[in-house]
Amino acid sequence: MSAPVAFGSVVFAKDVERLARFYEAVLGLQVLHSAADHWVLRANSGMELVVHSIPPAIAESFRISTPPERREDCALKLFFPVPSLAAARARARALGGDLLGPEREWEMRGFRACDGHDPEGNVLQLREAGLPA
């Protein structure tokens, strides 16, 4: 019998291992599989995040600055739960990404949220639960 298919997303990366390690550390994901061209990470909820390499011809056509420029013109922004925005912010910054400062956090429906980006500039949102709904 095969395993059930999980909900998930794919993020394309120039540096697959660096980006996978970022999501593993900031979100507390478990590495299910790693290869040169992709890593599969899983949350306790069963959601999977696949970090997949950008084809070399495309990857060679652009550079990622330090710090990375946020790719805010993307049509998609992923959001993820974290136990603590403050702790996630510190880990993100230590690993080459960023989460906007506490003054940019906002609240609704029982969580506090803040936008940021990963080390390659992909936008994301982190959400800390625990506020009254």
Side-chain angles (χ1 to χ4, degrees):
M1 184 174 178
S2 62
V5 176
F7 284 93
S9 297
V10 176
V11 175
F12 290 93
K14 283 187 80 154
D15 187 337
V16 171
E17 182 174 356
R18 180 179 188 211
L19 204 60
R21 293 286 183 200
F22 171 86
Y23 284 107
E24 176 189 18
V26 173
L27 304 179
L29 302 179
Q30 175 188 6
V31 177
L32 291 184
H33 172 79
S34 64
D37 66 342
H38 73 282
W39 284 44
V40 179
L41 308 170
R42 177 174 277 172
N44 289 337
S45 67
M47 189 277 307
E48 292 183 2
L49 180 66
V50 178
V51 180
H52 199 287
S53 64
I54 297 171
I58 295 171
E60 292 169 7
S61 71
F62 68 94
R63 291 189 171 196
I64 296 173
S65 61
T66 303
E69 183 177 328
R70 288 176 62 158
R71 297 187 210 166
E72 295 182 292
D73 58 351
C74 178
L76 185 67
K77 177 177 15 177
L78 302 176
F79 64 86
F80 303 98
V82 294
S84 163
L85 288 175
R89 181 178 291 108
R91 281 193 298 275
R93 288 178 177 170
L95 294 168
D98 198 10
L99 195 61
L100 297 173
E103 72 282 357
R104 300 287 301 271
E105 295 175 3
W106 51 274
E107 299 176 5
M108 75 178 297
R109 296 186 331 207
F111 62 83
R112 177 183 300 277
C114 195
D115 291 341
H117 63 272
D118 68 22
E120 295 202 2
N122 300 304
V123 295
L124 55 85
Q125 183 179 95
L126 301 182
R127 295 178 174 184
E128 176 183 330
L131 299 173

